Amino acid sequence: MQAAVTERWDGLVVGVSLATLQGTEGYGEIADAALGWHDGRLCFVGPRSALPGDARDLADEVIEADGWITPGLVDCHTHLVFAGDRAREFELRLQGASYEEIARSGGGIVSTVRAVREADENTLLAQSLPRARALMRDGVTTVEIKSGYGLDFDSERRMLRVARRIGQQLGVQVSTTYLGAHALPPEYAGRADDYVEAVAAWLPRLHDEGLVDAVDAFCEGIGFSPAQTRRVFEAAGALGLPVKLHADQLSDLGGAMLVAEFGGLSADHVEHTSIEGVRAMAAHGVVAVLLPGAFHVLRETKLPPLDAFREHGVAMAVATDCNPGTSPLQSLRQAMQLACTHFRLTPAEALRGATVHGARALGLTDRGVLRVGMRADFVQWRVRHPAELCYWLGGDLAEAVYVGGVRLA
């Protein structure tokens, strides 16, 4: 419950209730609790009555508070670095056009590629920062950001550089993912295999610059085949980089089984994943990342195999999929609400999906739970019960957001 007190702590919150998320179910609640931190790590998590002395003698800053504290939210799947928007496509879908029809007519991802290629680094940063700030204000302390809207070396590099700058400027943890195999750029029309070879060739250069934490691909009929995805994964494996996959969103091409074969971090979307895919994910510890924002915006009806995930013990993360086309969602808490509404997750499952399992989907073991020794990433909420985080549609519920023990919002 607590670490030995050898020096004064940097901070201590007392009087709150904690949703520690320790254990495998529920919230891990502690009432009338205290949370202490030092050097960016939690050093006390427990009842206030168990503090090893008077609060004022333990910490440099003591905060009397109420409400609830949870671990900081982890948004493990976003595309938030982009230029422009695709509001017109939203209108077209409402008029009956499908995602595939829009993509094949030159819209979709390729339209954002044009805007990104025309934007310099500072423009990309200026357009992307507000989205990152919105996520942070609603409780996100760690965010994954993908490339994939450049589709040439310079533009992919520019996107990844912007992602790193967002983390530096805002103080949040940013995990970068190289998604060169997101769509086929116009200059490679009819030459998908050649483009995949280029994607593989760019990866070592980007990795050498410290810009890549993981590698992703879009394995789909309108994306890349399993064989082409395998080539990208092999290039990642040669560099010791973990992989994840946009898998089985629109059809079942065996993406979940493929990412499991490579020991990947996560299979994301997974609406069409087969029971064989679920078993493969369970066997290899692959996290299922649920993206209810895209499900909602695309008005999909095919649910992920949620009962099978539960039955086989596959961890389910929840993320925003923040992107300009299919999930213009700037609140992970709203994604949690959509996961409860569309996928029938319980509020506790949704919160775990946006903390414990979101961290696991990024390969991060030092956050997502309130426990001594973990990073002091936490959020103080103006709620009377953690279920409210999924109950309210919108609203300003975060009282304070801490990253590494530093208050950012």
Side-chain angles (χ1 to χ4, degrees), residues 260-261 263-264 275-286 312-314 360:
E261 177 187 336
I275 188 62
E276 292 79 14
V278 172
R279 292 189 182 116
M281 291 171 66
H284 294 275
V286 178
H312 291 274
V314 175
R360 181 176 164 187

Side-chain angles (χ1 to χ4, degrees), residues 231-298:
R231 175 69 186 98
V232 174
F233 281 4
E234 288 170 347
L239 297 171
L241 287 167
V243 298
K244 56 185 67 178
L245 187 63
H246 285 63
D248 310 332
Q249 179 186 8
L250 305 173
S251 62
D252 182 13
L253 295 185
M257 288 190 286
L258 179 60
V259 75
E261 177 187 336
F262 280 83
L265 294 171
S266 67
D268 301 29
H269 288 289
V270 294
E271 283 92 334
H272 291 262
T273 295
S274 67
I275 188 62
E276 292 79 14
V278 172
R279 292 189 182 116
M281 291 171 66
H284 294 275
V286 178
V287 177
V289 177
L290 306 180
L291 302 171
F295 185 92
H296 177 79
V297 170
L298 293 175

Side-chain angles (χ1 to χ4, degrees), residues 135-274:
L135 290 174
M136 184 180 71
R137 283 195 301 268
D138 212 19
V140 168
T141 56
T142 300
V143 58
E144 185 252 22
I145 301 177
K146 303 178 190 294
S147 68
Y149 292 133
L151 308 186
D152 61 36
F153 176 78
D154 289 338
S155 301
E156 290 289 296
R157 179 176 181 266
R158 189 160 63 250
M159 290 187 68
L160 293 167
R161 284 174 54 86
V162 168
R164 288 283 190 238
R165 288 178 65 184
I166 287 172
Q168 295 162 1
Q169 188 156 330
L170 298 186
V172 298
Q173 168 95 23
V174 170
S175 180
T176 57
T177 297
Y178 174 53
L179 182 56
H182 194 195
L184 189 65
E187 62 270 24
Y188 279 88
R191 297 188 297 127
D193 287 341
D194 290 342
Y195 178 66
V196 167
E197 288 304 318
V199 168
W202 299 335
L203 178 55
R205 298 165 64 187
L206 297 169
H207 181 245
D208 286 345
E209 293 187 32
L211 294 175
V212 181
D213 296 323
V215 175
D216 195 352
F218 183 35
C219 185
E220 193 56 71
I222 60 172
F224 296 91
S225 70
Q228 291 161 345
T229 301
R230 181 180 294 274
R231 175 69 186 98
V232 174
F233 281 4
E234 288 170 347
L239 297 171
L241 287 167
V243 298
K244 56 185 67 178
L245 187 63
H246 285 63
D248 310 332
Q249 179 186 8
L250 305 173
S251 62
D252 182 13
L253 295 185
M257 288 190 286
L258 179 60
V259 75
E261 177 187 336
F262 280 83
L265 294 171
S266 67
D268 301 29
H269 288 289
V270 294
E271 283 92 334
H272 291 262
T273 295
S274 67

